[in-house]
Amino acid sequence: MRSAMRLAGFAWSDAELDALRPGLERALASLDELERLPLGDTEPTTQYRIF
Amino acid sequence: MGDLVWTSVVDLARMIATKEVSPVEVTRAFLERVAALDGTLKSFITVTGDSALDAARAAEADLVAGRVQGPLLGVPLGLKDLFNTAGVRTTGGSKILADSVPTADATVVRRLRAAGAIVLGKLNMHEFAYGPEGLNEHYGHARNPWDAQQTRVTGGSSSGSGAAVAAALVPVALGSDTGGSIRIPAALCGITGIKPTYGRASRAGVLPLAWSMDHVGPMARSAADCAIVLRAMAGYDPADPTTSVLPVPDYGAALTGEIKGLRVGLLRPFFMDGSAPEVTAAVQSAARALEGLGAVVDEVRLESVWPVAAASFAIVASEALAYHAAWMRTRSADYQPDVRERLKMGAFVTGVQYVRAQQVRARVRAEVDEALARRDVLLAPTTPLPAPVLGQTETRIGDAKTDVRSALIRLTRPFNFSGHPACSLPCGVSGDGLPIGMQLVGRPFDEATVLRVADAYQRATDWHRRRPPLA
């Protein structure tokens, strides 16, 4: 957590990171699921169709 | 005053145009109601009474002089406090922007003023629109007018917009919707709100939560009222490059009351199956009502929506932190705790995860498009439960325990992902007397059909005409 935080340019205290941990662990678990999805070569959406 | 404040936008506009009532009389009636009730409801952050009355007098002078009038001349309007207003503070519901005074109106505000609408003030919201409960620790939590004990949330993030319209403090308000923030308070407060297609209404001059998911739209007591306001605010805006050049149709003219032969897809797995029994029963009953009006209803399964929660987190957390990064480094203590925590989480999403989330988004959009290739609208509950109690963090739906925040946003955000237009309208009440909402989802830029079905339903039912106990 500390490394990721520093990489993102923040400097939160250990206490702040500890407070964040339960919610963050749930979120990271869901992101792991995202990485396992069989999305193949689906092109990511970066723009909406503008008619 | 009593009947005037419960008059529809459509009727107010007509009565003012025909000089049956004066804009000043109408504006005073709503301001008196704000003064009487908003100490309890906390739906406003800033009331602009003096400038509203000045605008009403100017509208009256226009009427008397016979000058060209807009379709909303003299109609009072509330703005979620993230729409920039020239000379009036725009706080985003935050301490950080408590004294921020824009020099120009947001595009949609400018258009609505040009149509004759009179801004009564700026409405409460979840801080920086980052929460579906509608909580605000800086200006007080807005209260749901359907709960006489004042213990229920309004839903959010457009909490003040939901409460103010439901209690007739304004006939119409603007909200924004990144994961459901128009539709959730509309459902929990028993009103009607439409999130138009991404690109239909300009976001220029609107504080962002997540640029690629943000939409703006009207919240009122009926689909007909939403139609007249949406028409006045929608359309291409060079200041928002995501807006479409497609012409804006006359949504009011589309409200024929006729839906015979229209095809309605009832979203069963994930949506109906993931909702409380009384919500499911209300939406099922609404589907039967639509069948009774001549619509053809079948059931639809959307498989791609299951990972939307994780994908939504990746996108919204990243984009929100990108916008807030500077303040999070220098003024982190000035955020309310839940918003500060959500913003921090954005630091832990990787670039790969963000792109994976955009891949999920492409799939959701394609599947919704496919479902709508054979149907005119899709139907689902707006929220899987009625308004929870303030401070409630967990709830039970069927046998499953879930956190309130995830539950509130679960059924709405797939259509922020896909960008399709979605309108929430009341379709029942719970055992506790709280409103239940359903959402109608349409093809891209086909708000007209969404509003037509919603209006036909409202002509045949009276859920949207019921008044809350606190009003």
Side-chain angles (χ1 to χ4, degrees):
Chain A
M1 281 176 76
R2 194 165 289 107
S3 301
M5 171 193 75
R6 285 183 184 142
L7 192 61
F10 295 97
W12 299 314
S13 68
D14 287 351
E16 286 178 291
L17 287 176
D18 284 344
L20 201 59
R21 193 178 300 276
L24 183 61
E25 283 177 353
R26 284 195 298 275
L28 293 179
S30 74
L31 291 177
D32 282 347
E33 289 173 22
L34 200 60
E35 299 220 35
R36 286 198 297 272
L37 285 174
L39 293 168
D41 59 355
T42 304
E43 188 163 337
T45 298
T46 52
Q47 291 287 319
Y48 278 88
R49 289 166 303 178
I50 305 301
F51 293 86
Chain B
M1 159 178 149
D3 286 340
L4 199 54
V5 296
W6 290 102
T7 304
S8 71
V9 171
V10 173
D11 285 343
L12 277 176
R14 177 185 50 77
M15 290 163 68
I16 290 168
T18 57
K19 300 179 186 170
E20 194 176 329
V21 291
S22 83
V24 174
E25 184 184 353
V26 171
T27 300
R28 282 208 175 108
F30 281 101
L31 287 173
E32 285 170 15
R33 194 160 173 84
V34 172
L37 290 177
D38 208 51
T40 300
L41 291 172
K42 296 181 172 59
S43 64
F44 277 79
I45 289 177
T46 303
V47 179
T48 53
D50 289 343
S51 63
L53 284 169
D54 287 345
R57 289 187 197 101
E60 196 158 293
D62 282 346
L63 266 174
V64 170
R67 287 189 280 268
V68 178
Q69 312 302 336
L72 296 172
L73 186 76
V75 174
L77 164 75
L79 301 170
K80 183 178 184 177
D81 202 14
L82 49 55
F83 290 88
N84 281 349
T85 40
V88 176
R89 69 173 180 165
T90 299
T91 69
S94 73
K95 180 178 177 183
I96 288 171
L97 294 179
D99 301 313
S100 174
V101 180
T103 55
D105 284 340
T107 298
V108 292
V109 174
R110 190 176 72 244
R111 287 179 178 173
L112 290 170
R113 286 195 210 266
I118 291 172
V119 175
L120 283 200
K122 309 298 290 291
L123 297 166
N124 206 347
M125 55 185 285
H126 206 112
E127 186 186 27
F128 285 121
Y130 209 176
E133 307 96 328
L135 306 178
N136 194 296
E137 298 196 1
H138 308 298
Y139 302 96
H141 307 317
R143 301 306 163 107
N144 192 317
W146 285 89
D147 174 30
Q149 306 304 314
Q150 303 167 39
T151 60
R152 301 275 175 171
V153 302
T154 55
S157 62
S158 310
S159 52
S161 304
V165 171
L169 305 193
V170 290
V172 61
L174 294 193
S176 66
D177 190 318
T178 305
S181 291
I182 287 173
R183 289 162 290 156
I184 294 166
L188 270 46
C189 293
I191 64 170
T192 304
I194 183 165
K195 176 199 83 66
T197 313
Y198 190 86
R200 179 75 293 182
S202 171
R203 297 169 297 110
V206 183
L207 295 175
L209 172 55
W211 296 277
S212 74
M213 304 266 282
D214 292 342
H215 304 63
V216 299
M219 301 165 72
R221 285 194 298 276
S222 70
D225 284 355
C226 287
I228 188 173
V229 177
L230 181 61
R231 188 187 187 203
M233 65 188 277
Y236 175 70
D237 175 17
D240 178 353
T242 66
T243 49
S244 170
V245 297
L246 274 181
V248 179
D250 181 350
Y251 298 120
L255 309 184
T256 60
E258 176 59 61
I259 59 167
K260 193 171 182 181
L262 255 64
R263 295 153 302 172
V264 177
L266 178 62
L267 293 168
R268 175 66 70 181
F270 187 87
F271 293 91
M272 291 289 273
D273 297 346
S275 297
E278 58 189 354
V279 172
T280 304
V283 176
Q284 191 74 60
S285 176
R288 285 195 295 272
L290 293 173
E291 279 184 319
L293 295 170
V296 179
V297 178
D298 70 347
E299 294 192 357
V300 186
R301 171 185 292 266
L302 293 179
E303 293 293 348
S304 63
V305 295
W306 292 92
V308 161
S312 172
F313 166 73
I315 292 172
V316 176
S318 300
E319 295 188 15
L321 183 59
Y323 177 74
H324 287 275
W327 289 328
M328 282 294 286
R329 291 189 180 103
T330 58
R331 301 190 62 179
S332 171
D334 288 337
Y335 289 90
Q336 66 185 42
D338 66 315
V339 172
R340 182 169 57 242
E341 181 168 314
R342 280 170 210 146
L343 287 170
K344 282 180 179 173
M345 290 203 185
F348 302 94
V349 180
T350 68
V352 170
Q353 289 161 341
Y354 183 89
V355 173
R356 298 282 288 175
Q358 296 286 18
Q359 288 180 289
V360 172
R361 191 174 194 173
R363 289 203 166 182
V364 172
R365 181 188 307 154
E367 194 182 21
V368 176
D369 277 345
E370 187 182 338
L372 284 165
R374 296 186 299 279
R375 300 170 187 89
D376 297 286
V377 293
L378 304 176
L379 170 64
T382 306
T383 59
L385 71 167
V389 173
L390 275 164
Q392 181 182 347
T393 56
E394 288 190 334
T395 187
R396 185 169 285 282
I397 296 173
D399 295 332
K401 197 165 75 171
T402 181
D403 72 280
V404 163
R405 180 170 198 270
S406 301
L408 284 176
I409 207 166
R410 172 184 166 90
L411 308 183
T412 47
R413 65 182 162 196
F415 307 109
N416 295 83
F417 249 55
S418 70
H420 292 80
C423 175
S424 178
L425 61 158
C427 66
V429 293
S430 71
D432 292 332
L434 299 168
I436 293 170
M438 65 180 188
Q439 56 181 334
L440 293 162
V441 181
R443 296 174 184 144
F445 297 98
D446 191 14
E447 287 81 6
T449 300
V450 171
L451 290 166
R452 177 179 158 201
V453 176
D455 172 68
Y457 178 78
Q458 291 185 327
R459 291 184 192 209
T461 59
D462 71 349
W463 300 112
H464 65 297
R465 292 194 190 93
R466 300 190 180 194
R467 299 182 185 180
L470 268 185

